Amino acid sequence: MATSLDLEMLQWNIHIAKTPIANLPKKSGVEVYEEIGHRQLIRFLTPDQNGAFRKGSGEKHFTTPTPYPADEVIEILHLPGIDKPRLWALILDPRKIPTILGPRLVRWGFAVEYVLPDGFPQEALIESLWEVRVS
């Protein structure tokens, strides 16, 4: 239901792509913040990633505006490492992220995603610069 509601909201204003990353529209974080209704982006973590991004990251990340329960997130987002539970997540303020690509439908999944091609600065982290529990 969460994905369906997000798709309904987003499709009123924008086109949701089904395309490779290279073809996704490039936007500012402020544009994405407006597009997703002043919400945050979520970056789900594997256990070995906990603590790895507390100072930000310069690598590519995949995020979603939609919160999912831990027991469904791997299937809905079609995440790699199906044996690694996603019990924690980073909450990111898109306004603090210079470049965001998307949105697009997750390939082989059932969700909307935004790609951070250049990662995110530490200032984009919400919740005191650490992970939050996915429930």
Side-chain angles (χ1 to χ4, degrees):
M1 183 165 80
T3 300
S4 294
L5 290 171
D6 273 355
L7 287 171
E8 183 76 19
M9 177 194 68
L10 288 168
Q11 287 180 346
W12 282 107
N13 301 317
I14 57 163
H15 172 72
I16 300 173
K18 294 179 185 176
T19 187
I21 292 172
N23 297 337
L24 287 173
K26 184 177 181 179
K27 300 175 183 176
S28 73
V30 172
E31 288 176 283
V32 170
Y33 181 73
E34 293 295 323
E35 186 172 280
I36 61 176
H38 299 190
R39 293 163 52 199
Q40 314 308 318
L41 293 172
I42 303 164
R43 186 355 179 135
F44 292 95
L45 302 168
T46 59
D48 58 311
Q49 292 172 324
N50 282 347
F53 308 119
R54 291 183 183 164
K55 294 184 188 252
S57 172
E59 61 189 72
K60 180 176 21 181
H61 291 268
F62 294 84
T63 66
T64 181
T66 314
Y68 294 108
D71 62 341
E72 295 178 14
V73 70
I74 293 172
E75 180 181 356
I76 290 172
L77 292 174
H78 192 68
L79 297 173
I82 61 171
D83 59 329
K84 298 178 181 180
R86 292 347 189 255
L87 302 177
W88 299 89
L90 296 174
I91 309 300
L92 302 169
D93 183 342
R95 295 172 295 182
K96 308 283 174 85
I97 303 170
T99 304
I100 301 176
L101 306 177
R104 77 171 182 173
L105 294 174
V106 173
R107 295 186 73 185
W108 306 107
F110 309 99
V112 174
E113 73 180 347
Y114 286 88
V115 181
L116 314 181
D118 305 315
F120 56 89
Q122 183 179 31
E123 299 78 43
L125 290 166
I126 296 182
E127 297 302 326
S128 304
L129 307 178
W130 57 74
E131 305 79 13
V132 295
R133 177 91 172 156
V134 177
S135 50

